[in-house]
Amino acid sequence: MQTNDPLYGIKLVQILTELHAKYTWQEIGEKLGIKCFLNNPTPKSCLKFLRQTPWARSRVEILYLKTFCSKHPETTKLIRSILGTQNKNKTPETKKKTSPSVIKSNDGFEWAKINKK
């Protein structure tokens, strides 16, 4: 069975090795905004971080696709699906509890401001 997925059969180790052959750790870290590539990186430490951090792994996979598989017809669809699953997995932010407004008087006393609607 042949698959249209350009990442099919490619392991994370191979992705990282090929990216490091083309770019320095510094360049990868700056392109992706991931500190594990900037702060004393080793292949082992980067692999460990990427395996534990799905958002970082998907950024590395997208960089790999854009760098080495840009002519593959399914690359754009795959990048969109990776980005789509990233957006779905984000947890909605909780609303901040608003504290009452405070008005300070000249003598240092604080008055709670009552908001009328």
Side-chain angles (χ1 to χ4, degrees):
M1 182 176 142
Q2 188 175 356
T3 179
N4 287 332
D5 183 359
L7 290 176
Y8 180 77
I10 300 175
K11 295 183 179 185
L12 187 58
V13 177
Q14 182 182 353
I15 291 173
L16 201 57
T17 305
E18 290 183 25
L19 283 174
H20 184 52
K22 182 154 178 95
Y23 305 112
T24 64
W25 290 122
Q26 185 76 23
E27 289 173 323
I28 295 171
E30 289 171 359
K31 284 178 183 287
L32 300 177
I34 300 175
K35 290 183 181 179
C36 82
F37 294 111
L38 300 172
N39 186 12
N40 200 13
T42 63
K44 186 177 179 179
S45 66
C46 292
L47 283 169
K48 182 178 179 182
F49 176 76
L50 293 173
R51 287 182 178 134
Q52 295 174 351
T53 318
W55 63 265
R57 182 182 181 139
S58 59
R59 285 186 189 180
V60 170
E61 289 174 346
I62 289 171
L63 178 63
Y64 178 83
L65 289 169
K66 287 182 176 180
T67 305
F68 298 107
C69 306
S70 60
K71 294 183 181 179
H72 192 284
E74 296 296 318
T75 298
T76 305
K77 290 179 187 176
L78 185 61
I79 290 172
R80 286 184 185 151
S81 71
I82 291 171
L83 291 174
T85 55
Q86 254 186 350
N87 292 337
K88 288 179 186 176
N89 291 338
K90 286 185 180 178
T91 56
E93 295 181 17
T94 58
K95 292 183 180 179
K96 292 182 181 179
K97 292 182 180 179
T98 57
S99 58
S101 301
V102 175
I103 301 172
K104 290 187 179 183
S105 65
N106 291 339
D107 57 17
F109 190 81
E110 295 181 359
W111 297 87
K113 182 180 178 183
I114 301 171
N115 296 329
K116 293 183 180 180
K117 291 185 179 182

